[in-house]
Amino acid sequence: MKDKTSKIALFLLISVSFFSCTLTRRVPENRSLLMQNEIFENGKKNSTEAVHNQLYQQPNSSILGYRLRLHLYNLAKPNADSSYQAWLDKHPTTHRNLTAFLSEKQVGRLGKSFAVSGFSQFLKNTGEPPVLYEENRMNRSVIRLKNYYFNQGFFNTTVQTQVDSIGDQKTKVTYQIETGKVYVIDSVSTRIFTPALDSLYKKNASKALVVPEKVYNSKDFEAERKRITTSFRNNGAYYFQESNIHYDVDTINNNHKANIELIIDDRTVKSGDTLVQVPFKIYKISDVNIFTDNTSKKVENIADSINFNNFNIYSANKLEYRPKALTDAIFITKGSTFSDFRRVLTSRSISNLRIFNYPSIEYIEDQRDSTGQSLVANIFLTPRKKMTFNPSLDVTHSNIQDFGIAGNMGLIIRNVFRGAEILDIGLRGSVGSSRDMANPNNVFLNVSEYGIDTKLSFPRLVFPIKTESIIPKSMLPRTMMSFGLFRQQNIGLDKENFTGIVNYSWSPKRNTSYSLDLLNLQYVRNTNPSNYFIVYKSSYNTLNDIAQRYEKDGDYFDSKGDLAIQDGRANTFINDVLAGQTSVLPGTSDYQNVRSIEERRLRLSENNLILAANISFTKSSKTDIKDNNFYTFKAKFESAGGLVSLLTKSNKSNVNENGNHTLLNVEFSQYVKTEIDFIKYWDLGRQQVLAFHTFGGIAIPYGNSNSIPFSRSYFAGGSNDNRAWHSYRLGPGSSGAINDFNEANMKLFASAEYRFNITGKWNGALFLDAGNIWNIFDHVEDEAYTFNGVKSLGDLALGSGFGLRYDFSFFVFRFDLGFKTYNPSKPEGEKWFKELNFGKVVVNVGINYPF
């Protein structure tokens, strides 16, 4: 063992020495490679990204200290095509033979082919050239550092530099920064030339960001400019711009204190050949004109018009919209003060109708107003096509389906009832392959689904009573009614699924939204329940083993001596065991196993009726798709079966042999369910991101149910969950995932992922996934399956691994390798690190990031 350790240490030492030497392979003589920048602020090392980003030169990028891209660049031949020409000159016979076979021009072009220079060019493009130390750039960095600290109130900052050689052609630059004492705002005065703006400013002065006793920071001044501009433009100052604001800062003889004067000039306008300053005016809206198509803004093209609630609506043809459907989406009203906020809200609201492209809104001065304080708002709308046919073909991947091909034929009909309603009819079908499905005939495409989905959406709340006072139209409310009928044909139970949903959604703020399913109906009918033991092989194997040990000479077996499935003899054996008609005695572990198998069979093969209502809340700080410093919080609460239970309790005829109430001869599910989901991203700079995800959910059956429907339960494992386990192959608890599809009614999960750029569009990741599922408050009593308080947190499975991702811009292809780091189902002493090897790695292929 010691000999092996010595050899490994020697190998690592030689490797480090070799790669260290090759770093400077492409560094010219008399030049040096910039290896490190160090910044000391008032004697203390400063490693913050914001400060280091001020430097004009950064060392070559590294992954965990290894400069991969620099090594790739160094592997490339500097002048591959020139080397090729030199090789031809040294081998004239070969040159002549090539020329005879091709031509001189083609032989010359070979020097630029991939076979000769293409690989080297690939290494150069993928790699990163060495960053050479430059004194000029260092001096420019000093100036930028001074400006950076000046903007934070350190007006007397000094920066000293030191350049050190840390090896052959390797350089380290140290920046010693002395900030001095920070300046604090002593007083703030104003000089606003337009009286109307002065009044507006004083009205909102309490919201000012530049105030006495606050440390001087230029970001506060920028934010204050935006705040003042927003306030003025939301209160009628149509022509006001941020450039009209400037500050005078006086720091002379003030003992590190600054006196600030806020100056807002009058508006500059052109009068003849000269520029003059005039006071800003506060504008009101005198008319709102809505043009339902862009061509109709020309008066001669208007064929239809109407005045509705002080809105003028024009159309080049017969008006195709109910006036209220248009005006409800517009927040710019006649007689109101000009407001940028109303313009933005109107644009969002019109876009939310989904029957127009993004609108164009313009304001022009109303020449009829002699005071010059009126604006006419013209809103130009461009309708989308009345009907859109959207066929599509997609390659899919999910936690269960390894590969799938999905086709969809969608028809969208807009403005169905002239109130901006949208009808979406979709026919869809898919075929796929799943390793998790029973597949006795080894069929590759063993999963299929087809069906129809119809959605009707309204740009308002469709409800019997008025809801405007609770959810105003500024929250962009929407109603969606959907109905779906699908049929799954797998090598298994097969299902028919009917769904019906009435959903309301609204957004109180731009980053906050609510979704309410007033009705969420799902009816699942298993069409081949007799196939249960073909699909769930682990249950069958356990049952077959018990039957062979107790009833070797019975009528339960087929010609091969196994428990027969097709003619129902397996079910007969279960019934006989539970009726005490076999030698399997009640109270024994085998009897308990048979009873558990039967309970699970009934649960997974019975038809399900779920009549639920739920509400979801989402809040996110994400600004756009490229934002890598944000959080998203989601919470959901669902209740099922409560209303149906009240309606059926009084009718005793709706009670089945199990003593449970039924609706349409089907036991309905009754449970409450809640979930919390949190995602946080930290942007570490230089294309590095730390991402964190946590989830917690619990569903508690009551009343008519002692378990949760399979479709509403939780599972663990898979490419978007704990990647060290396959889907449905983790948990519940420490049970060891003995079933084919392991699920439960409680779940805890957390994941952390460090993402970094390797080169170009290639990215890498290191991740840790922790989580599990448990049974709680249901029919399962085995402690290995159930959550039993804090001690059950020891059942949290830990997976670790690394991944490779390629960014196609519109989606990300993901390849992750997961290793079981802590396996709670293993005996004590074997839980940690025993499966941390490539022989037991789990390969995950996915589309886009896991969260």
Side-chain angles (χ1 to χ4, degrees), residues 7 19 101 106 112 187 258 263 280 290 312 326 335 366 376 441 444 605 653 703 736 752-753 845-846:
K7 289 180 179 179
F19 285 115
F101 180 70
Q106 289 174 322
K112 296 182 179 180
S187 65
I263 303 170
F280 283 96
I290 305 169
N312 303 315
L326 298 176
D366 191 344
V376 175
N441 297 321
F444 177 66
S605 61
S653 63
E753 189 168 275
V845 177

Side-chain angles (χ1 to χ4, degrees), residues 56 68 90 173 199 209 255 350 383 458 470 477 707 725 741 766 799 814 836:
Y56 277 95
L68 174 64
K90 288 183 180 180
V173 180
S199 298
L209 302 175
N255 191 26
I350 291 173
F458 305 81
I470 305 172
S707 63
W725 279 263
F741 296 93
L766 302 174
R814 177 164 53 91
L836 201 63

Side-chain angles (χ1 to χ4, degrees), residues 333-386:
T333 56
K334 185 175 181 177
S336 66
T337 303
F338 164 78
S339 170
D340 249 352
F341 171 76
R342 290 174 177 269
R343 176 185 59 81
V344 173
L345 185 58
T346 297
S347 294
R348 286 183 59 206
S349 182
I350 291 173
S351 298
N352 190 58
L353 294 179
R354 302 175 191 173
I355 62 172
F356 299 105
N357 293 327
Y358 197 79
S360 172
I361 302 175
E362 70 173 21
Y363 296 90
I364 58 175
E365 291 194 38
D366 191 344
Q367 301 301 321
R368 299 170 298 180
D369 183 3
S370 58
T371 65
Q373 292 182 279
S374 296
L375 295 173
V376 175
N378 292 323
I379 302 171
F380 301 107
L381 308 178
T382 304
R384 297 185 183 183
K385 291 181 179 179
K386 175 75 174 180

Side-chain angles (χ1 to χ4, degrees), residues 500-530:
I501 299 174
V502 178
N503 172 266
Y504 302 103
S505 60
W506 64 95
S507 300
K509 296 180 181 178
R510 189 147 196 173
N511 64 342
T512 304
S513 64
Y514 287 88
S515 178
L516 171 66
D517 280 358
L518 188 65
L519 172 67
N520 189 311
L521 170 66
Q522 182 181 26
Y523 173 63
V524 180
R525 177 175 172 264
N526 292 294
T527 58
N528 288 315
S530 59

Side-chain angles (χ1 to χ4, degrees), residues 345-640:
L345 185 58
T346 297
S347 294
R348 286 183 59 206
S349 182
I350 291 173
S351 298
N352 190 58
L353 294 179
R354 302 175 191 173
I355 62 172
F356 299 105
N357 293 327
Y358 197 79
S360 172
I361 302 175
E362 70 173 21
Y363 296 90
I364 58 175
E365 291 194 38
D366 191 344
Q367 301 301 321
R368 299 170 298 180
D369 183 3
S370 58
T371 65
Q373 292 182 279
S374 296
L375 295 173
V376 175
N378 292 323
I379 302 171
F380 301 107
L381 308 178
T382 304
R384 297 185 183 183
K385 291 181 179 179
K386 175 75 174 180
M387 299 176 66
T388 304
F389 180 63
N390 293 322
S392 65
L393 187 67
D394 297 313
V395 176
T396 60
H397 169 81
S398 68
N399 281 326
I400 299 176
Q401 191 169 271
D402 304 303
F403 170 80
I405 300 174
N408 184 57
M409 297 177 63
L411 176 65
I412 299 176
I413 306 174
R414 299 181 177 88
N415 198 35
V416 180
F417 309 120
R418 299 182 63 241
E421 304 86 1
I422 298 176
L423 178 63
D424 189 346
I425 303 172
L427 295 173
R428 72 182 189 188
S430 65
V431 292
S433 175
S434 175
R435 289 172 293 179
D436 296 319
M437 295 295 179
N439 197 355
N441 297 321
N442 200 27
V443 178
F444 177 66
L445 298 175
N446 61 337
V447 179
S448 67
E449 179 179 319
Y450 58 91
I452 182 171
D453 192 20
T454 303
K455 298 177 183 178
L456 179 62
S457 62
F458 305 81
R460 54 192 172 276
L461 295 186
V462 179
F463 204 70
I465 61 174
K466 289 187 177 181
T467 57
E468 177 71 21
S469 59
I470 305 172
I471 304 175
K473 63 180 184 178
S474 59
M475 293 184 182
L476 309 182
R478 194 166 197 86
T479 301
M480 191 271 292
M481 301 177 184
S482 68
F483 305 93
L485 182 61
F486 306 100
R487 182 178 175 86
Q488 294 175 336
Q489 288 185 316
N490 311 321
I491 299 179
L493 302 181
D494 297 346
K495 298 178 184 294
E496 290 178 348
N497 195 334
F498 172 79
T499 59
I501 299 174
V502 178
N503 172 266
Y504 302 103
S505 60
W506 64 95
S507 300
K509 296 180 181 178
R510 189 147 196 173
N511 64 342
T512 304
S513 64
Y514 287 88
S515 178
L516 171 66
D517 280 358
L518 188 65
L519 172 67
N520 189 311
L521 170 66
Q522 182 181 26
Y523 173 63
V524 180
R525 177 175 172 264
N526 292 294
T527 58
N528 288 315
S530 59
N531 282 356
Y532 178 83
F533 287 115
I534 296 176
V535 178
Y536 295 93
K537 278 292 185 182
S538 61
S539 295
Y540 170 76
N541 291 336
T542 301
L543 191 67
N544 186 40
D545 178 64
I546 294 172
Q548 289 184 346
R549 283 191 284 113
Y550 285 91
E551 303 292 336
K552 290 184 179 181
D553 299 325
D555 297 328
Y556 306 112
F557 304 97
D558 58 20
S559 58
K560 296 180 181 179
D562 292 323
L563 193 63
I565 297 174
Q566 296 296 346
D567 56 2
R569 278 182 277 175
N571 293 338
T572 302
F573 173 71
I574 292 174
N575 294 333
D576 289 349
V577 169
L578 298 180
Q581 297 177 6
T582 68
S583 54
V584 182
L585 299 177
T588 63
S589 60
D590 286 331
Y591 182 90
Q592 296 296 334
N593 285 336
V594 172
R595 189 176 71 175
S596 295
I597 290 170
E598 176 63 1
E599 287 177 350
R600 183 171 174 81
R601 184 190 71 82
L602 291 174
R603 175 168 173 258
L604 297 182
S605 61
E606 68 182 358
N607 299 334
N608 289 131
L609 177 62
I610 304 171
L611 192 60
N614 65 67
I615 185 167
S616 302
F617 168 79
T618 303
K619 184 177 178 64
S620 177
S621 63
K622 190 169 186 177
T623 55
D624 55 57
I625 195 172
K626 294 183 179 180
D627 187 2
N628 282 322
N629 199 6
F630 69 93
Y631 72 87
T632 299
F633 174 80
K634 297 179 182 179
K636 181 179 180 179
F637 177 80
E638 179 171 301
S639 177

